[in-house]
């Protein structure tokens, strides 16, 4: 365990300071803490997730005060955490009792399938785009950049292309919520279309950033099924619009049709340079004559689909009774504004590998998304069937130090069998139900009593042997 930084607030102190701020307001808060000499302004910054800037090091504590006021204002603008929801059991109870759940998902729910997310250091897609020499990796998905040079997007498109029909256990979890009549809406930021493949109904799914399900020509708007372009994209080619190509051929080669008096078409003598519809030259035309096909994903600079704002404001806001955010850091607007827009009294859960600090969720469930949702289903008594969920899966759940509502989920990998036979697999204490704990305690008590009886019998036998030996000695 690392030693606590004496110049930073502990997690427990940070929680207490944030609660005090909301209870008394910023003016009284500063009087009771900073002005009373309880803590410095520099140290207080760390309670609100701000690292004191290096250029202020060694200066008067008063110089940190303006920055602290900004931190207090930002904290008060956030939704307040609901203090009655903290434990994993609370999360399970919310799942069991809620009837209109909004699930907001990001790339983290697909990474177990080998599809990279965007922002993870080293493994995320943006980390792998540094070789392109862009000032910002997000330019790959900038619509103005695409229109200028589509080769930049198509050089990486093959890496994010959905390559199979498989979907993850987390996708199956969302489908299970739908099956149980609990899913209000799944707002997905993903473009892989795997939610649809998992069986989420179109009327329950809002693909905020579009998907590869369809593609459209940037020139004429002609739309095709997306996977018809996959072979060209995987081959590193830029897919072109066939309709534009046909239009160009018609313009260049067509002549007025001559019709006989009876209405039948008059046969026309063919001339050099004419072509028939079956000729291979049908596709031999300059590429710049036809538009580029663009997958119907929402690039930066393009508006989100109307369905997004309409459903959120006119339908979901008044019906939602639980919000679950899975596998996203919520850093891209306007999807990042969904959670703050919803009523603050509605409980909110966060499931991902790492926590976020710009939103106060009620319960943080940290770890692999697939592992977290499978353990929640096990505790809820739900049958989450998926080939990627091991049979008799064991998950260890630990409370994160200093955070009463932050829990870390880790799948326990069974140890290999020993030479003497199969090694007993012990279930972590944190993942056991109350019934299991009572049963094990009873069994342990029974074994203890049996051991005590055995020990007593052994002592009695030894005592009798000693008495007999003393009698034998006296006879001699």
């Amino acid at each position: 365990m690392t030693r606590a930084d004496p110049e930073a607030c502990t997690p427990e102190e940070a929680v207490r300071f944030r609660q005090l701020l909301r209870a008394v307001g910023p003016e009284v808060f500063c009087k009771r803490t900073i002005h009373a000499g309880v803590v410095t302004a520099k140290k207080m910054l760390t309670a609100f997730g701000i690292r004191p800037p290096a250029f202020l090091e060694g200066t008067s504590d008063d110089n940190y005060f303006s920055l602290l006021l900004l931190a207090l204002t930002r904290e008060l603008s956030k939704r307040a955490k609901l203090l009655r929801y903290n434990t994993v059991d609370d999360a399970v109870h919310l799942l069991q009792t809620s009837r209109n759940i909004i699930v907001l998902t990001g790339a983290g729910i697909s990474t177990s399938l080998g599809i990279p997310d965007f922002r993870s250091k080293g493994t995320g897609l943006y980390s792998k785009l540094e070789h392109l020499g862009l000032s910002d990796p997000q330019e790959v998905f900038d619509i103005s950049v695409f229109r200028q040079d589509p080769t930049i997007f198509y050089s990486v498109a093959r890496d994010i292309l959905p390559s199979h029909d498989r979907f993850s256990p987390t996708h199956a979890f969302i489908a299970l919520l739908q099956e149980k009549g609990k899913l209000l809406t799944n707002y997905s930021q993903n473009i892989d279309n795997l939610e649809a493949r998992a069986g989420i109904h179109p009327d329950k799914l809002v693909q905020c950033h579009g998907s590869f399900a369809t593609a459209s020509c940037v020139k004429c708007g002609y739309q095709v099924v997306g996977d018809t372009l996959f072979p060209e994209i995987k081959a590193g080619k830029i897919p072109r619009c066939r309709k534009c190509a046909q239009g160009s051929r018609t313009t260049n080669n067509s002549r007025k049709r001559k019709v006989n008096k009876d209405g039948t078409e008059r046969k026309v003598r063919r001339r050099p340079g004419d072509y028939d519809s079956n000729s291979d030259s049908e596709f031999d035309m300059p590429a710049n004559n036809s538009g580029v096909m663009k997958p119907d994903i929402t690039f930066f600079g393009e508006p989100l689909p109307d369905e997004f704002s309409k459903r959120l404001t006119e339908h979901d806001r008044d019906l939602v009774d639980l919000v679950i955010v899975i596998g996203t850091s919520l850093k891209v607007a306007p999807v990042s504004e969904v959670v703050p827009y919803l009523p603050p009294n509605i409980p909110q859960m966060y499931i991902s590998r790492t926590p976020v600090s710009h939103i106060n969720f009620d319960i943080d469930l940290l770890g692999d998304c697939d592992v977290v949702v499978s353990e929640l289903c096990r505790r809820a008594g739900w049958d989450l069937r998926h080939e990627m969920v091991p049979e008799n899966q064991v998950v260890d759940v630990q409370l994160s130090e200093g955070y009463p509502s932050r829990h870390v989920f880790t799948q326990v990998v069974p140890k290999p069998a020993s030479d003497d036979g199969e090694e007993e697999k012990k279930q972590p204490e944190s993942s056991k139900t109350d019934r299991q704990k009572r049963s094990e305690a009873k069994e342990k008590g029974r074994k203890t009593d049996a051991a005590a009886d055995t020990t007593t019998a052994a002592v009695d036998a030894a005592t009798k042997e000693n008495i007999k030996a003393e009698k034998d000695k006296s006879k001699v």
Side-chain angles (χ1 to χ4, degrees):
M1 182 183 297
T2 58
R3 292 184 60 184
D5 183 354
E7 296 187 355
C9 293
T10 65
E12 294 88 348
E13 289 173 332
V15 170
R16 289 199 299 270
F17 284 139
R18 292 184 182 194
Q19 291 176 352
L20 178 62
L21 171 64
R22 291 186 179 276
V24 301
E27 184 176 353
V28 175
F29 175 81
C30 290
K31 287 181 179 179
R32 292 187 183 181
T33 56
I34 309 299
H35 300 325
V38 174
V39 63
T40 64
K42 176 183 177 182
K43 185 174 181 178
M44 183 64 81
L45 284 174
T46 64
F48 297 95
I50 297 179
R51 180 180 298 176
F55 68 86
L56 290 179
E57 189 64 35
T59 64
S60 169
D61 194 57
D62 292 341
N63 293 329
Y64 292 91
F65 203 75
S66 58
L67 186 58
L68 177 61
L69 291 179
L70 290 175
L72 300 183
T73 302
R74 186 182 71 172
E75 178 64 26
L76 290 173
S77 68
K78 298 179 185 177
R79 166 190 177 272
K81 171 183 160 29
L82 303 180
L83 298 179
R84 62 183 178 276
Y85 301 116
N86 296 287
T87 68
V88 177
D89 287 342
D90 291 336
V92 172
H93 180 71
L94 286 170
L95 282 176
Q96 292 173 322
T97 56
S98 299
R99 289 291 177 268
N100 291 293
I101 303 175
I102 284 181
V103 181
L104 201 161
T105 51
I109 73 170
S110 299
T111 53
S112 61
L113 300 171
I115 301 174
D117 63 7
F118 290 87
R119 291 178 173 78
S120 293
K121 292 182 179 180
T123 59
L125 184 65
Y126 290 155
S127 296
K128 298 178 179 180
L129 299 181
E130 296 176 355
H131 68 282
L132 295 177
L134 302 173
S135 58
D136 183 350
Q138 293 184 160
E139 289 182 5
V140 170
F141 298 98
D142 188 290
I143 188 59
S144 60
V145 173
F146 182 88
R147 286 170 178 156
Q148 293 172 8
D149 185 5
T151 60
I152 295 177
F153 168 76
Y154 280 113
S155 67
V156 299
R158 71 182 77 182
D159 294 329
I160 57 175
L161 206 62
S163 58
H164 43 61
D165 292 336
R166 294 178 64 206
F167 50 86
S168 72
T170 306
H171 291 102
F173 167 72
I174 303 170
L176 183 61
L177 292 178
Q178 175 183 263
E179 180 184 323
K180 292 182 174 294
K182 294 176 175 288
L183 182 64
L184 180 61
T185 305
N186 176 196
Y187 289 90
S188 173
Q189 298 177 89
N190 298 334
I191 57 178
D192 51 33
N193 200 39
L194 294 184
E195 291 88 356
R197 294 176 188 259
I200 307 302
H201 299 158
D203 63 332
K204 295 286 186 181
L205 177 62
V206 176
Q207 293 175 312
C208 306
H209 297 161
S211 77
F212 277 101
T214 57
S216 300
C217 174
V218 296
K219 185 176 181 180
C220 71
Y222 178 63
Q223 189 177 70
V224 299
V225 177
D227 57 16
T228 60
L229 305 179
F230 288 2
E232 291 177 87
I233 297 175
K234 291 177 181 178
K237 299 179 181 179
I238 298 178
R240 296 279 177 173
C241 177
R242 298 296 175 87
K243 186 174 182 180
C244 283
Q246 291 174 352
S248 297
R249 287 195 302 273
T250 301
T251 302
N252 296 332
N253 297 283
S254 62
R255 294 186 292 274
K256 289 184 179 180
R257 295 194 309 170
K258 295 183 178 181
V259 182
N260 294 316
K261 292 182 179 180
D262 60 358
T264 60
E265 185 175 353
R266 185 184 302 174
K267 291 184 179 181
V268 181
R269 180 183 300 174
R270 297 184 60 179
R271 296 179 298 182
D274 287 353
Y275 65 89
D276 60 50
S277 60
N278 295 322
S279 171
D280 289 339
S281 64
E282 181 179 352
F283 301 104
D284 296 335
M285 58 167 297
N288 58 6
N289 285 353
S290 58
V292 175
M293 298 300 293
K294 170 186 165 293
D296 290 331
I297 60 180
T298 306
F299 278 50
F300 293 109
E302 291 185 304
L304 266 63
D306 293 338
E307 182 188 9
F308 168 75
S309 57
K310 185 175 181 180
R311 184 175 180 93
L312 180 65
T313 58
E314 299 179 9
H315 183 263
D316 290 353
R317 193 177 192 276
D318 295 331
L319 296 175
V320 60
D321 57 9
L322 174 63
V323 179
I324 307 177
V325 177
I326 315 179
T328 173
S329 57
L330 289 178
K331 291 183 178 179
V332 178
V335 177
S336 59
E337 301 302 318
V338 170
V339 174
Y341 173 76
L342 296 172
N345 62 307
I346 301 300
Q348 300 179 358
M349 293 162 45
Y350 183 71
I351 301 174
S352 194
R353 289 188 179 276
T354 55
V356 295
S357 59
H358 59 291
I359 297 177
N360 292 325
F361 287 99
D362 301 315
I363 307 175
D364 292 319
L365 307 174
L366 306 182
D368 183 284
C369 298
D370 295 340
V371 172
V372 174
V373 299
S374 62
E375 177 64 11
L376 291 177
C377 287
R378 186 190 69 81
R379 294 186 180 215
W382 297 353
D383 187 12
L384 180 65
R385 295 185 180 182
H386 194 280
E387 60 183 8
M388 293 172 64
V389 178
E391 189 176 356
N392 301 320
Q393 181 186 49
V394 177
V395 178
D396 181 35
V397 184
Q398 297 293 333
L399 185 65
S400 183
E401 185 176 0
Y403 298 93
S405 60
R406 183 175 294 176
H407 310 269
V408 180
F409 289 61
T410 307
Q411 181 173 312
V412 178
V413 180
K415 294 181 179 179
S418 63
D419 295 337
D420 298 332
E422 185 72 18
E423 184 173 329
E424 182 181 359
K425 300 173 185 177
K426 295 184 178 180
Q427 184 177 4
E429 194 71 23
S430 58
S431 67
K432 296 176 181 177
T433 63
D434 292 338
R435 184 175 181 180
Q436 285 178 302
K437 291 177 181 178
R438 288 195 300 269
S439 177
E440 290 182 4
K442 185 176 180 180
E443 178 65 15
K444 184 177 180 181
R446 186 188 65 76
K447 291 181 178 179
T448 301
D449 292 341
D453 292 342
T454 301
T455 302
T456 302
V459 171
D460 291 343
T463 303
K464 290 178 180 179
E465 286 292 328
N466 290 336
I467 294 174
K468 183 179 179 182
E470 290 295 329
K471 288 182 177 180
D472 292 341
K473 285 181 182 180
S474 62
K475 289 181 181 179
V476 175

